[in-house]
Amino acid sequence: MGQAVLILIKPDGLKKSLTGNILTRLSETKLEIVAAKMVRVSKELAQEHYKHLKDKPFFGEIIKYLQGDFHDRKKVMALVYWGNDAITKCRELAGATNPEEAESTSIRGSYGRITTSGVYENVVHVSSNVPEAEREIKLWFTPDEIIVDLYATKDVVKKELSCKIWADK
Ligand code: TYD
């Protein structure tokens, strides 16, 4: 059955120039990329993304990590992959959460590390199950940014919405 999954290439993955490598590994799955963008991660977005971990002792550190505080890369690459068993396939390629326990040929096993302060810098995020994938995709993307219809949408008219446009247009 078709499934959607959120992938984040985290700031360490970007700093280590692993983007191409990770996308190549993910292409082995034959899944389809249906959305992709670079994101400057606000504290609110990071906290909402990891809200299930808010009581963990490492919560503050992983918020800083996702925001890029440890890698002078204030950005992540966010993608949505779609296809059969997308979550299982991508989580298998990513490997275990703890890079030292991850299969050595997996993305996290190959490129992740545990910092001296104990944070797992594990290069990628992959949604863990179907409801989490839906929650995360709706958090990171608007319907217009995804080229297929994944979830129900509704039309609203937004009045007096201010947004940036190119100065010469
Ligand atoms: P979690 O959602 O449990 O794992 P996953 O990303 O594999 O779904 O954890 C979120 C992130 O928190 C994880 O990618 C790395 C970090 N983390 C630690 O730094 N230390 C820990 O003990 C755990 C469990 C996670």
Side-chain angles (χ1 to χ4, degrees), residues 10 50 52-53 58 62 91 97 108 118-120 122 125:
K10 297 182 185 178
Y50 280 135
H52 59 292
L53 299 171
F58 53 83
I62 60 173
R91 282 188 75 88
T97 306
R108 288 165 165 179
V119 180
Y120 300 168
N122 55 12
H125 168 80

Side-chain angles (χ1 to χ4, degrees), residues 109-156:
S110 304
Y111 307 117
R113 68 171 194 144
I114 302 180
T115 66
T116 43
S117 58
V119 180
Y120 300 168
E121 286 186 0
N122 55 12
V123 186
V124 287
H125 168 80
V126 182
S127 310
S128 52
N129 55 52
V130 172
E132 265 299 282
E134 178 171 347
R135 184 188 77 82
E136 293 173 357
I137 290 167
K138 288 178 174 175
L139 177 66
W140 288 81
F141 288 92
T142 63
D144 285 341
E145 293 174 322
I146 304 173
I147 61 161
V148 291
D149 294 330
L150 291 180
Y151 310 112
T153 56
K154 62 181 178 185
D155 290 323
V156 291

Side-chain angles (χ1 to χ4, degrees), residues 6 8 10 41 43-53 59 63 66 125-127 132 135-136 139-140:
L6 178 82
L8 301 177
K10 297 182 185 178
V41 182
K43 193 171 186 179
E44 292 70 33
L45 175 59
Q47 286 178 336
E48 189 60 28
H49 177 78
Y50 280 135
K51 69 177 185 186
H52 59 292
L53 299 171
F59 184 68
I63 299 308
L66 197 62
H125 168 80
V126 182
S127 310
E132 265 299 282
R135 184 188 77 82
E136 293 173 357
L139 177 66
W140 288 81

Side-chain angles (χ1 to χ4, degrees), residues 3 15-16 40-41 61 68 96-97 123-124 133 151 169:
Q3 256 179 7
K15 181 156 188 181
K16 292 174 178 173
R40 207 168 284 286
V41 182
E61 295 290 287
T97 306
V123 186
V124 287
Y151 310 112
K169 296 285 172 201

Side-chain angles (χ1 to χ4, degrees), residues 72-106:
D72 62 291
R73 287 290 192 286
K74 298 262 176 211
K75 58 189 174 187
V76 305
M77 186 172 191
L79 304 109
V80 179
Y81 279 77
W82 190 87
N84 282 341
D85 292 325
I87 295 173
T88 311
K89 284 177 183 165
C90 292
R91 282 188 75 88
E92 218 167 271
L93 269 182
T97 306
N98 179 340
E100 282 189 2
E101 287 170 5
E103 166 88 42
S104 55
T105 55
S106 67

Side-chain angles (χ1 to χ4, degrees), residues 9 13-14 16-27 77 81 111:
I9 302 180
L14 296 174
K16 292 174 178 173
S17 293
L18 293 171
T19 309
N21 191 306
I22 291 166
L23 296 182
T24 302
R25 296 294 305 276
L26 288 167
S27 71
M77 186 172 191
Y81 279 77
Y111 307 117

